[in-house]
Amino acid sequence: MTSADVLIVGSGAAGLTAALNLADRFKVTVLAKGALNEGSTAWAQGGIAAVLEPGDTFDNHVEDTMVAGAGLNDREIVEFVVENAPAAIERLQKLGVPFAQEGNALHLTREGGHSHRRIVHVDDATGWAVQEALQRAAEAHPNITLVPDQVAIDLATSRHEERYSGAGNVWGVYAVDRKSEKVHLYTARATILATGGAGRTYLFSTAPRGATGDGIAMAWRAGARVSNMEMMQFHPTCLYNLEVKNFLITEAVRGEGGRLVNPQTGKRFMTYYDSERLELAPRDVVARAIDAEIKRYGLDYVHLDISHQPADFVRGHFPNIYDKLIGLGIDMTTQPIPVVPAQHYTCGGIIVDRDGRTDLPGLYAAGECTESGLHGANRLASNSLLECFVFGEAAAQHIAAHWEALPPVPPIRPWDESRVTDSDEEVVIKQNWTEIRRFMWNYVGIVRTTKRLERAQHRIKMLTAEVEDYYGHFRVTPDLIELRNLLQTADLIVRSALHRHESRGLHYTLDWPETLETPLDTVLVP
Ligand code: FAD
Ligand code: SIN
């Protein structure tokens, strides 16, 4: 057993921000399920939204966030995050993030749904620079212990106390060590879930392999509510390539003038779908437009074309994307880029309040695994890293301010493996994993119907019985843990989608095409 004051599950932007804000006072342990930089944070391209130029205002940023979110956002939370954005950027600069400059000021790029230029960035690889800076600071701090290769299985709760108190607290996690394959108990007075999203529930996703909704599934199993899980964001422009399946082409390409063109007709089609905002309409609008063109014309992809801009400008703004595409035989300064929509972001998640508190005493959460009220029915571009910084800090501040009220950890039972054996058929895991991702893509994608959702639900019920049986008989492995969570998350997405009898933001269904007057969260209670 390993004890810390605070345990953080996740070493991305949310987890490391929380750790750095706690470490001057507390001993903090941070777990990651693979290498420390394997979450979505390191993959972020476009940047971080903040009001930084005199012509822009907080009200503009709040309004843009609410419009993108189709009114489902919590306005107070949106204001809280937007107003804290400039300070978050300043702290990142102090940590050494080398944001692109224009003269003496930060260079601000533009993305869909933003009425102003307000995205700070490090060329087209912002997340990598942010992850490096946060990790460097965390590694240098004597009170932070970073432990990679620990796959959290479940939260340790009152149910695991040696003498059951019935208080319902969370006391840490059980996690399997990838190297020793042993299950380890990590305890703490406060636990923060910062486990990222659930993108890998879908066949095509821009998210890294580990985005399997682990934190959402663990919190749900322990008794925390989740909400708006049907709001799965599809990014309009993922590279279409038979070898490279999940390479994002940042929205900033459209922000800097990139146009979407139907390769068969040669026409710029956004004029038909959103004649005012064109390629810079919110993501749900652009993704649906591409989906409609692909289906109508029987296409494999559409074209994203920025070749009308000067070649130096394109190479200067998008050096990493340019290099990647050149390696694949596409010169974006002279040729259009083939793109398709792909799952990109999980807007729903564990319900948290403004302090990052979940429903369970001692359990906090921050970042993409949460539903804080910021994103509503569709996240505005580059608001996600921002949410990680603001809520990572808010959770840390709440823990520090209420430390004395957090009870000490009672004796917790170790993991019990007495009734399981080693798996005899690993192929079951691979088969089920692929099946879930495929039917989620086909039945629970950009355009939904009740019939398709019910089909998905039927498959989920059958697979759940199979996987739970497997889980009950065999020793846990990282793949089995992820499969179980993927299935749990898929179930939450489908149940939420079936609950919503309207089309709003990212949830678009042919059976309920209207948008109801009053926006209501879909809240699932365990
Ligand atoms: P992550 O960075 O995903 O980190 C999750 C952490 O949890 C990892 O350390 C992982 O190992 C750990 N973990 C998960 N499960 C377990 C487990 N069971 N046990 C132990 N550890 C676990 N947002 C923006 O604002 N701007 C952008 O430009 C932008 N670009 C993006 C580009 C791409 C390609 C993608 C995929 C996303 C992009 N996003 C962007 C979204 C943004 O990157 C993510 O929402 C954000 O980084 C999430 O951070 P996080 O800290 O919540 O989780
Ligand atoms: C992008 O660069 O297009 C991604 C930005 C985001 O997801 O916020």
Side-chain angles (χ1 to χ4, degrees), residues 45-46 111 235 248-252 283 344 379 381-383:
Q45 291 185 355
E111 291 184 332
H235 196 292
L248 180 74
I249 307 294
T250 176
E251 194 147 325
R283 274 182 197 167
H344 181 63
R379 171 174 71 91
S382 288
N383 265 356

Side-chain angles (χ1 to χ4, degrees), residues 43-48 111 114 119 124 126 206 233 235-237 248-254 283 321 344-345 379-385:
W43 289 30
Q45 291 185 355
I48 307 160
E111 291 184 332
H114 287 275
I119 317 293
D124 53 355
T126 309
T206 63
Q233 183 171 73
H235 196 292
T237 58
L248 180 74
I249 307 294
T250 176
E251 194 147 325
V253 170
R254 280 175 283 133
R283 274 182 197 167
I321 294 176
H344 181 63
Y345 185 80
R379 171 174 71 91
L380 182 66
S382 288
N383 265 356
S384 162
L385 285 171

